[in-house]
Amino acid sequence: MGTGDHPEFGEPKKFDASFKGPIANRSCTDVICCLLFVVALVGYFIVGLVAWTHGDPRKVIYATDSRGEFCGQMGTTNKDKPFLFYFNILKCASPLLLLHLQCPTTQICVKKCPDRFASFVTAHQIRKWEPEKWKYYLQFCKPGFNDSAKSPVEVLRDQDCPTFITPSKPFSQRCFPALETNKGVIMVDNKTNFNLDGSLVNATQLLEGAKGANEVRDAREVVMKIFEDYTKSWYWILIGMVLALVLSLIFVLLMRFIAKVMVWLSILLVIAALGYGIFHCYMEYASLKGVQGSDINIKDLGFQTDLRVYLHLRQTWLAFMIAQIIVEVVIILLLIFLRKRIAIAIALIKEASRAIGYIMSSLLYPLITFALLLFCIAYWAITAVYLATSNEAVYKVFADDKNCNHTSKTCDPKTFIDSIIKKGCAEAQCSFAFYGGESYYHRYLIVFQFYNVFLFFWLVNFTIALGEIILAGAFASYYWAFNKPADMPKFPVMASMGRALRYHVGSLAFGSLILAIVQTIRVLLEYIDQKVRAAQNKVAKFILSCMKCCFWCLEKFLKFLNRNAYIMIAIYGNNFCTSAKNAFFLLMRNIIRVVVLDKVTDFLLLLGKLLIVGAVGILGFFFFTNRISILEDKSPTLNYYWLPLMTLMVGSYLVAHGFFSVYAMCVDTLFLCFLEDLERHDGSPEKPYFMPKELMELLQKKNK
């Protein structure tokens, strides 16, 4: 375990009397990569500019009629017509398909979906006696049509009006038949059959024409219930996240004074929380014994939109209980076998608490990282939307006549009436089909999308790397200050930020570029996996699974290596490759300490995060389920209480992670400095240790 036992990983660090922490006299590193990064950013800006010039998000927001016009858009003739109506829904295969592709029937924008059965022939016959019915029907005809002198045959041939209309409900700005199920029978407006001009139409025909509409309706109901839950509970979720913020801050402050007590308290409380979870799951499991339907297998039950159904199954609670027992046993075994290393890890955490106490501004830096990441995500998302909507409207020929050879050919709606196609196929229509294009720009649109994803990964990794190197430089200045805080710079975070931005942008770009390449490859592998999944090729699946596993491991290793390389760059100012090599060799020379001590520290910090998340989660559970008597009248009535609860817990974890990420970076920096301290010094008056006295006592070291 001592240093110098692994000569293949380089010689241990030599004593340097002039070394006093992060080197001030340094030069720019990885300049070529810095220039490449700047060029890539300029290119990214140009891609965004091109996307914003050609893109039109209205194509996503609004439904599009057969003329390529948007439904419900302000400032147009369709501003009061938000819904898309299909002349003949029977020609449509699936409502899910309608959201992306075009159904081969005329479509118009309407103010509201039809609420009754009616046919054009009947409405035309009674137009003089019941003009209100004729007027009602006309709103579902093509805009501007009001030719009562035109015969029904001519109207239906030219597709000026639909043959019939049925009661419909809007979903995703489209009118779908109001299909309902009564004891397994498909009905529309409480009817199974309806007569339209002597033609008997069965409701099942509409179901076949709009296959999946019931599932879409169920999904819509679930979405609306979820939306309703969020509107009732969003401010309580924010209050819970503020509580997590306060708890995290209190936890960090207490760690400075009673680190040992807080760590062991976290361990015991996490164990107790898991124990209560196991007990609660067992009680629920036992209470369902003998209850009718509780022994149904989850696999046999299948997916249910009302997820509360699963809470009435014994198998659900059994699975929860087994999962918590496994976690509980793993934690207890780790505590038993690593109890000696935990003492050293606690000393390291205690020293990290002192460092953060001297550099309190470090707790605010995650807010800067968070803001930069939000900007990266927003730029990527907006650019992706504009790129996805930068295609042009493509019009196709649709015809019921099977003898028409021009069906599905591209057409121009402005000149279609006088075209050869119209003369050859009198019933043919030139309707909007989809968004696409054959121009030079559209052919390379996929390249721009790929570039957008790649630069997104690069910028996100660069932002995280910038935060790591700035914090590492600040905490390294603390460790290598022999007399704390007298030997520390006045503003460690600002000083470290200045060095990073002035000298090491290229190195940060280099490290984040390597990681971005690996992440992009992983995205491509997922894309390929989706494409070949239907092929049922076991060899291809095996190869893809192996590749995905390998690149996942590679990404994890690179993140670990980059993090330690940034610490070395912050201290010595070398380029990325040299720093990565030195960090890797230093860790390999102390591999046992790295595997045991560093990971134990990470484990203890994880328990701290879980403690905060668990405390907020338990409080949220009792609140959302009306089990807190003093707040019973304040608790909202929810359809799915677990969804706001899960949102609260995820948000609390992110808040806690923001604070503990500073701790983790501090511990990693101090750990690397601690390893170098052991190699550089021996405790003599000429080479005194910089580590705290508590660590020296645990390692049986001392300054003479």
Side-chain angles (χ1 to χ4, degrees), residues 334-346:
L334 286 174
L335 292 175
I336 293 173
F337 290 106
L338 300 177
R339 59 189 183 278
K340 292 182 179 179
R341 295 294 172 184
I342 288 175
I344 301 176
I346 290 174

Side-chain angles (χ1 to χ4, degrees), residues 606-619:
L606 175 63
L607 291 182
K609 285 188 279 190
L610 292 179
L611 175 63
I612 293 171
V613 174
V616 175
I618 291 172
L619 188 62

Side-chain angles (χ1 to χ4, degrees), residues 104 395-411 416 421 425 427-429:
Y395 296 85
K396 296 282 187 180
V397 176
F398 294 101
D400 292 332
D401 188 359
K402 296 181 180 179
N403 296 321
C404 182
N405 298 323
H406 302 287
T407 304
S408 299
K409 286 186 178 180
T410 306
C411 59
F416 184 72
I421 299 175
C425 304
E427 297 182 2
Q429 297 288 325

Side-chain angles (χ1 to χ4, degrees), residues 233-305:
S233 62
W234 65 269
Y235 48 91
W236 292 110
I237 294 174
L238 289 180
I239 292 173
M241 291 174 66
V242 171
L243 177 61
L245 177 70
V246 173
L247 289 176
S248 299
L249 186 59
I250 293 174
F251 192 94
V252 169
L253 292 175
L254 289 176
M255 287 279 278
R256 183 183 179 187
F257 303 103
I258 49 173
K260 188 173 183 179
V261 174
M262 292 300 295
V263 170
W264 281 110
L265 183 64
S266 300
I267 294 172
L268 294 176
L269 287 177
V270 168
I271 292 175
L274 286 171
Y276 172 78
I278 294 169
F279 171 75
H280 180 77
C281 290
Y282 174 77
M283 293 303 295
E284 292 286 349
Y285 175 78
S287 66
L288 290 172
K289 186 176 182 180
V291 177
Q292 185 177 2
S294 63
D295 292 323
I296 296 175
N297 192 291
I298 293 178
K299 187 177 180 180
D300 296 335
L301 181 64
F303 177 73
Q304 301 293 323
T305 54

